[in-house]
Amino acid sequence: MNNNAFGIKRLSEVTPSSETPFLIEGLVHRTATMIYGRPKAGKSFVALSAAMALGEGTPWLGREVEAKNTLLWALDPGQEDETWQRFNTANGAKESRLFITDVRPEDTDEWWAEFSDVLLSTGVEVLIVDNLSALLGRGSYNNDADVRPALGRLQALLDEGIAIVLVHHAGKFNEEQGSQKSPMGSTAIEAWGRQFVQVTDDQELRILRVYGNNTPEKELGIALNFNGEGDDGAFVTLIGEEETVAMSAEHEELVAKARARWESRKERQKKQGRSPQQKAGKKLETVRAPKTNGIPERIIDALRENPVGMGWNELDKAVTGASGAKSKAANEMVQAGTLTRSKEGNRTIYRLAR
C-alpha cells in the first residue's frame, strides 16, 4: 500500500496549523458554529451583531475581529426587510462587507451545487444561516433521516472553506430544570457543530453560554439593546464573563475530584440498589428461582374442579406444560403442604390440602 496516497504519516511528524480555530476568539469558529435559544431570547440579534462585526472588522464582545465577506441567509418570511431595518437602526456601515439573501433553497443536489459555486465565485467567507428549520422543509428536527441531508449540504460548504454560523432553537422549556441545555432535535444537530453559543434571557440580562471543542465552557453576560446601541458591538454590551468549566487542572486536584466523584457514585448506586454487587445478587436470585411457568396455579385450578382428588394421569392431562415440570411442581407442592398425596389401590391420588 502506498501510504502517501492516503496521507498516512506518524502522528509525531504532523506539522500543526498555526492558524487560530476562531474567526472571533473563543466565540465564532472558523468552521461550524451554532447559535441557539428559545424564541424571543435574542439569538437572531446576537447573530446579526456578530455578522456586522465580521462584515466591518470591528471588535465584538471584547475580541478583535478581522473583516470577512459575510453573507446572512435570511430564511424566515419578511426577514430580509426586518434585518435591513435592524442594520440601519444600529448605524451599519455602508462599506460593510456584510451581504444578505432571502433565496429559498431547493431540495436538489443541482441547486446546492450552483449555490456553492456562486458563494465561491463571489468570495463569501462566512455564511450565517437563520435558521435551520427552513432547510428541513417539512422534515422534523427529531428525525435523523430529515436532518442529515440538510447538514450534509452545509458540510459540503464547510469542505469548500466557507465558515458557517447556524441559528437554531433550544430544547423545550422544563419547569423544574429551566431551559434545556442542548439544541432542539436529533443528536446529529449537536454533533455537527464545533462551537456553540446558547442564548438565554433573564429579564434585561442575556446569558451567552459558550462551549465547544477548543474552549472551556464559559458564560458571558450581555445587555441586548434592540435600539441598536451597544458598547461592544451592535446591540450588545458586555457585562461580565467567566469560565464555568475549566479545561485543565492540576493533576493531583483532578485525581482527587475524580476519586471523590467515584465514591459518591458508588454510594448513590448503593442507596438506589444499583451497585454491581446488588445487581449480581439479584441476578443470582433470579437464576436460582424455579421457573414454574404458572404450573402450580394450573394444578390448583384443576384440583379445585375435582375436590375428590385426581390420579396422576388425570392431573397430567388436565394441566398444560411439560410432564417433567408438572411432576416436579407437584412434588414441591406436596413438600410445601399445598397438596396431599396418598396411595389408594393402584393409584396415587392428589388433593388440595385442607
Side-chain angles (χ1 to χ4, degrees):
M1 181 180 72
N2 182 359
N3 291 351
N4 290 334
F6 297 96
I8 298 173
K9 62 179 76 69
R10 291 181 185 275
L11 184 57
S12 59
E13 296 173 352
V14 172
T15 302
S17 172
S18 59
E19 191 175 43
T20 173
F22 293 101
L23 297 176
I24 302 178
E25 188 61 35
L27 298 177
V28 178
H29 204 274
R30 64 172 50 257
T31 58
T33 302
M34 183 175 293
I35 298 175
Y36 68 98
R38 298 291 296 153
K40 309 302 181 184
K43 54 187 179 292
S44 289
F45 276 93
V46 171
L48 175 58
S49 181
M52 291 176 66
L54 286 164
E56 298 172 16
T58 53
W60 194 64
L61 295 178
R63 279 88 169 158
E64 293 299 317
V65 178
E66 181 183 347
K68 300 286 184 182
N69 291 335
T70 303
L71 176 63
L72 199 159
W73 196 2
L75 290 169
D76 279 340
Q79 190 176 2
E80 184 175 272
D81 287 347
E82 186 178 76
T83 303
W84 175 84
Q85 292 172 358
R86 292 174 178 176
F87 177 81
N88 280 283
T89 298
N91 296 315
K94 290 185 178 180
E95 63 275 13
S96 171
R97 291 162 61 179
L98 175 60
F99 303 87
I100 192 168
T101 180
D102 64 353
V103 64
R104 308 302 293 179
E106 296 179 11
D107 190 19
T108 66
D109 292 339
E110 292 76 14
W111 187 93
W112 280 89
E114 183 180 358
F115 184 56
S116 176
D117 289 342
V118 169
L119 297 186
L120 293 172
S121 64
T122 53
V124 170
E125 298 169 279
V126 184
L127 175 65
I128 298 180
V129 184
D130 192 359
N131 54 54
L132 175 61
S133 61
L135 298 184
L136 299 182
R138 296 182 180 180
S140 168
Y141 291 132
N142 299 311
N143 189 341
D144 274 1
D146 294 332
V147 168
R148 290 188 184 280
L151 296 180
R153 282 162 171 164
L154 294 181
Q155 184 61 48
L157 299 178
L158 288 172
D159 293 342
E160 295 289 352
I162 299 172
I164 294 179
V165 178
L166 180 60
V167 180
H168 184 43
H169 298 294
K172 292 184 178 180
F173 186 82
N174 182 296
E175 290 185 359
E176 294 181 357
Q177 299 177 354
S179 293
Q180 185 172 316
K181 288 193 171 184
S182 297
M184 178 181 285
S186 163
T187 55
I189 295 174
E190 191 165 21
W192 172 85
R194 300 285 293 174
Q195 186 76 359
F196 299 87
V197 180
Q198 181 188 18
V199 184
T200 57
D201 60 308
D202 184 1
Q203 297 184 24
E204 293 82 7
L205 179 68
R206 294 300 192 278
I207 302 296
L208 306 185
R209 173 176 163 260
V210 183
Y211 62 99
N213 294 42
N214 300 95
T215 56
E217 181 176 312
K218 65 179 66 177
E219 287 185 348
L220 284 71
I222 65 169
L224 187 62
N225 189 333
F226 298 107
N227 293 325
E229 294 183 41
D231 296 340
D232 300 287
F235 309 103
V236 299
T237 298
L238 181 62
I239 303 301
E241 178 176 345
E242 65 177 0
E243 289 187 4
T244 53
V245 178
M247 290 189 74
S248 61
E250 293 294 332
H251 177 69
E252 292 78 6
E253 179 185 358
L254 176 65
V255 171
K257 287 183 176 180
R259 183 172 286 115
R261 193 73 175 173
W262 175 257
E263 295 301 328
S264 173
R265 183 175 183 271
K266 288 198 299 182
E267 186 63 27
R268 187 168 60 253
Q269 288 179 333
K270 186 176 180 181
K271 288 180 180 179
Q272 296 172 349
R274 297 189 298 110
S275 70
Q277 294 84 355
Q278 289 167 318
K279 286 182 179 179
K282 289 178 182 178
K283 185 175 181 180
L284 188 60
E285 290 173 9
T286 302
V287 171
R288 288 176 176 172
K291 294 184 178 180
T292 62
N293 296 322
I295 290 175
E297 290 80 3
R298 292 198 290 275
I299 290 175
I300 290 172
D301 289 342
L303 291 174
R304 280 176 177 164
E305 293 178 3
N306 298 274
V308 296
M310 300 176 71
W312 173 249
N313 289 337
E314 296 173 282
L315 190 59
D316 188 26
K317 291 178 180 178
V319 176
T320 58
S323 293
K326 288 184 284 188
S327 176
K328 181 179 179 182
N331 289 333
E332 290 175 349
M333 293 171 75
V334 169
Q335 293 174 8
T338 306
L339 305 183
T340 63
R341 180 171 55 199
S342 59
K343 194 76 171 177
E344 298 181 9
N346 294 327
R347 301 174 67 210
T348 300
I349 304 298
Y350 291 85
R351 296 184 179 89
L352 288 175
R354 296 183 182 278

